[in-house]
Amino acid sequence: QVQLVEFGGGLVQTGGSLKVSCVGSDDGFSTYNMAWFRQAPGEERQFVGHIGKRGDSPFYANSVKGRFTISKDNAKRTLYLQMNGLTPEDTAVYYCAASTSFRSPSPSLYPLWGQGTRVTVSS
């Protein structure tokens, strides 16, 4: 079964940019709808964006729309999240998730998850 590994998190100042990635372990990557979620300490996991199997139909939470861009490269088995105009409210662990069946803002509908990568935005 596919495994997902996120990387690219780090520390960035307010107004800066960061790109995080999620790499799949096998050639089934192209069969997954995928999403990014994030979770800050003491808060529930929050939807960020999702994208279709072929990298189509990106959709974003209002909190990140216009600042973040989700993309999917099946040849590289990689999901990306480009984050621009970062603020301290974006500080969280960012998780990628995958589903063959759903393209949804609900984390409960995604059976496959990465381990997360931490993004910290300093004020």
Side-chain angles (χ1 to χ4, degrees), residues 24-80:
S25 63
D26 62 35
D27 59 5
F29 190 83
S30 64
T31 70
Y32 286 92
N33 304 293
M34 299 192 73
W36 286 101
F37 293 84
R38 64 188 184 185
Q39 189 166 22
E43 299 184 5
E44 294 185 343
R45 193 159 295 188
Q46 180 185 47
F47 170 72
V48 175
H50 61 59
I51 194 165
K53 296 176 179 180
R54 297 178 298 277
D56 61 300
S57 303
F59 179 80
Y60 303 93
N62 288 336
S63 60
V64 307
K65 190 174 183 179
R67 298 189 297 122
F68 290 12
T69 302
I70 188 171
S71 59
K72 185 172 190 274
D73 187 334
N74 286 328
K76 295 182 177 180
R77 294 181 284 111
T78 303
L79 178 75
Y80 302 98

